[in-house]
Amino acid sequence: MIIEPRTRGFICLTSHPTGCQQNVIEQIKYVKSKGAINGAKKVLVIGASTGFGLASRITSAFGSEAATIGVFFEKPPSAGRPASPGWYNSAFFEEEAHKAGLYAKSINGDAFSKEIKRQTLDLIKADLGQVDLVIYSLASPVRTHPETGVRYKSVLKPIGSSYKNKTVDFHTGVVSDISIEPAVGDDIENTIAVMGGEDWKMWMDALQEEGLLADGCKTVAYSYIGPALTESVYRKGTIGRAKDHLEATAFEIGDSLKSISGEAYVSVNKALVTQASSAIPVIPLYISLLYKVMKEKGIHEGCIEQIQRLFEDRLYSANTPTDDQGRIRIDDWEMRDDVQAQVTELWEKATTENLSNIGDLEGYKKDFFNLFGFMVPGVDYDKDVNEIVEIPGLQ
């Protein structure tokens, strides 16, 4: 079939297998071009199919020749209906890993559930014995609690008062004012239940109880802080409370890992175009301006550049540098004073008429469609493509 992008709001409803394949290959090439990383050799990535999770799996495999197990929740293809992009990413990652003689298997299902945890533990036990790195990179709007069966839904809201600012529709380039009402009722608790650290700790406890963590094992979860421009709706809003919980959980996990000389970190990453960030009002406009400034300064990074630098310069350097709250800061270039000063200045000026000049809306749009395998250089989108692609190591 010929597959074209079909969008609804901040979601693309289709994905292109050849484009996804090319994306994966380019990320692999980048990691290999940077040289070997003396990192983990047996890696579990929870949330492994897109964004930072996929980049973590690629960096582990092609930077450190690691055996990897990826856990994700993706929609498989059917006749005439493409899979979700994470399905194709995982399929082509595994294909390239197997070509390189690397172990790579995947589990598709709800990582919050007891069943998927059990299946993953059994696979590690059977094939790897232990893992020495666990990446936690889940991004889901809902979670059914495995013990109580209660279904929680996260919300993106400010706390205490309404949030008013401007945003952009990245499809049309129209800059407009928005107002977001504050959290009510159980909004904060529900968001923490979905996006906080409880599930990360459940995974780590289960792995440790069954002796599946190697001595010196590291675990990393991903977070974001961002600038003053977005803090009312992000870091000081409901999602920020969940991130606070995630970061506090790192210390709990770290304490439990002391018996095996293990370490737990939260890595604060740069603002990037992901399926999750596209859904957050204000963020597309901020990223458009940020991209413009960082590209002009020659310090722009995508997911794979961020994670390769995280692994090489932070996680597996002689000493892992952290901030005063114990977090790894790989958002250091984004948060530079000169970068933020320029972005703030551009923010005040940004209008529908001038955004194409003062911002990088085209870069944002390209990155968004790249997530789904579209607008990828070198791909012929007029050509028939087989939408049915299997994941070689799917369990």
Side-chain angles (χ1 to χ4, degrees):
M1 63 187 294
I2 291 173
I3 304 174
E4 297 178 340
R6 288 193 298 114
T7 60
R8 185 174 64 224
F10 55 83
I11 296 171
C12 189
L13 303 173
T14 51
S15 62
H16 199 284
T18 309
C20 291
Q21 179 180 30
Q22 192 59 39
N23 276 338
V24 167
I25 288 169
E26 290 303 317
Q27 290 186 62
I28 291 169
K29 281 182 185 172
Y30 177 80
V31 169
K32 290 168 80 171
S33 76
K34 301 299 283 186
I37 299 169
N38 185 23
K41 296 301 181 186
K42 297 177 181 179
V43 179
L44 170 63
V45 184
I46 304 157
S49 53
T50 60
F52 289 122
L54 175 66
S56 301
R57 196 175 188 191
I58 290 171
T59 301
S60 296
F62 292 94
S64 302
E65 297 187 338
T68 62
I69 292 174
V71 180
F72 45 78
F73 202 3
E74 296 293 345
K75 184 189 74 175
S78 57
R81 296 179 73 89
S84 53
W87 178 278
Y88 292 134
N89 292 339
S90 302
F92 294 118
F93 163 80
E94 283 201 6
E95 187 177 287
E96 294 299 318
H98 295 167
K99 274 189 212 168
L102 298 170
Y103 172 101
K105 290 187 179 180
S106 298
I107 291 173
N108 188 35
D110 180 5
F112 295 132
S113 72
K114 284 184 176 180
E115 293 76 16
I116 292 300
K117 287 183 176 72
R118 181 72 264 159
Q119 190 182 348
T120 307
L121 300 182
D122 289 345
L123 182 60
I124 294 169
K125 199 175 293 184
D127 287 9
L128 302 182
Q130 292 182 319
V131 292
D132 47 3
L133 175 63
V134 179
I135 297 292
Y136 188 84
S137 185
L138 284 191
S140 171
V142 295
R143 175 186 176 218
T144 299
H145 197 283
E147 303 292 344
T148 64
V150 175
R151 188 172 185 266
Y152 297 99
K153 186 174 182 182
S154 65
V155 295
L156 176 82
K157 291 183 178 180
I159 294 171
S161 59
S162 299
Y163 173 77
K164 295 179 173 63
N165 214 316
K166 53 188 174 183
T167 190
V168 64
D169 181 329
F170 62 89
H171 295 298
T172 64
V174 173
V175 176
S176 61
D177 293 325
I178 57 156
S179 178
I180 306 171
E181 293 306 303
V184 295
D186 296 332
D187 283 347
I188 296 171
E189 291 76 13
N190 289 346
T191 304
I192 291 171
V194 178
M195 303 182 70
E198 185 184 30
D199 184 65
W200 181 25
K201 189 167 190 306
M202 284 180 167
W203 272 99
M204 296 308 298
D205 287 348
L207 288 159
Q208 191 166 11
E209 282 164 15
E210 302 212 13
L212 301 178
L213 299 178
D215 283 351
C217 176
K218 298 177 191 281
T219 183
V220 184
Y222 295 134
S223 188
Y224 181 65
I225 293 176
L229 276 171
T230 64
E231 70 178 8
S232 294
V233 74
Y234 195 89
R235 194 64 205 204
K236 289 185 177 176
T238 52
I239 288 184
R241 290 289 180 88
K243 297 299 185 186
D244 290 343
H245 187 275
L246 181 78
E247 291 165 15
T249 302
F251 290 102
E252 291 181 41
I253 295 171
D255 286 341
S256 70
L257 294 180
K258 282 178 181 173
S259 61
I260 57 168
S261 302
E263 299 170 322
Y265 295 104
V266 164
S267 174
V268 179
N269 297 354
K270 175 196 174 194
L272 287 169
V273 182
T274 64
Q275 292 182 54
S277 69
S278 299
I280 304 173
V282 183
I283 294 292
L285 179 57
Y286 169 71
I287 290 179
S288 298
L289 300 173
L290 179 72
Y291 273 24
K292 180 80 167 181
V293 172
M294 293 188 78
K295 285 177 180 179
E296 285 176 351
K297 291 180 181 295
I299 54 172
H300 174 69
E301 294 173 310
C303 278
I304 196 65
E305 292 87 0
Q306 272 267 286
I307 297 302
Q308 194 279 336
R309 184 162 70 95
L310 168 68
F311 278 42
E312 183 172 45
D313 294 354
R314 304 289 200 277
L315 206 52
Y316 292 104
S317 62
N319 292 296
T320 300
T322 58
D323 67 9
D324 58 3
Q325 295 185 51
R327 303 171 297 204
I328 297 173
R329 299 299 297 268
I330 206 73
D331 65 340
D332 48 346
W333 296 350
E334 172 188 356
M335 299 308 294
R336 266 177 27 183
D337 290 344
D338 60 324
V339 171
Q340 287 302 316
Q342 268 187 263
V343 172
T344 301
E345 186 181 332
L346 293 172
W347 182 275
E348 296 303 320
K349 299 176 183 174
T351 64
T352 303
E353 291 70 32
N354 68 16
L355 184 59
S356 59
N357 293 322
I358 70 168
D360 185 24
L361 196 59
E362 281 308 306
Y364 186 101
K365 197 179 296 186
K366 178 180 179 295
D367 279 8
F368 173 80
F369 282 106
N370 278 181
L371 295 173
F372 302 89
F374 297 107
M375 293 178 68
V376 177
V379 176
D380 183 355
Y381 291 101
D382 294 324
K383 190 176 175 182
D384 269 325
V385 63
N386 184 4
E387 72 279 16
I388 306 296
V389 175
E390 300 300 329
I391 300 175
L394 187 67
Q395 298 303 289

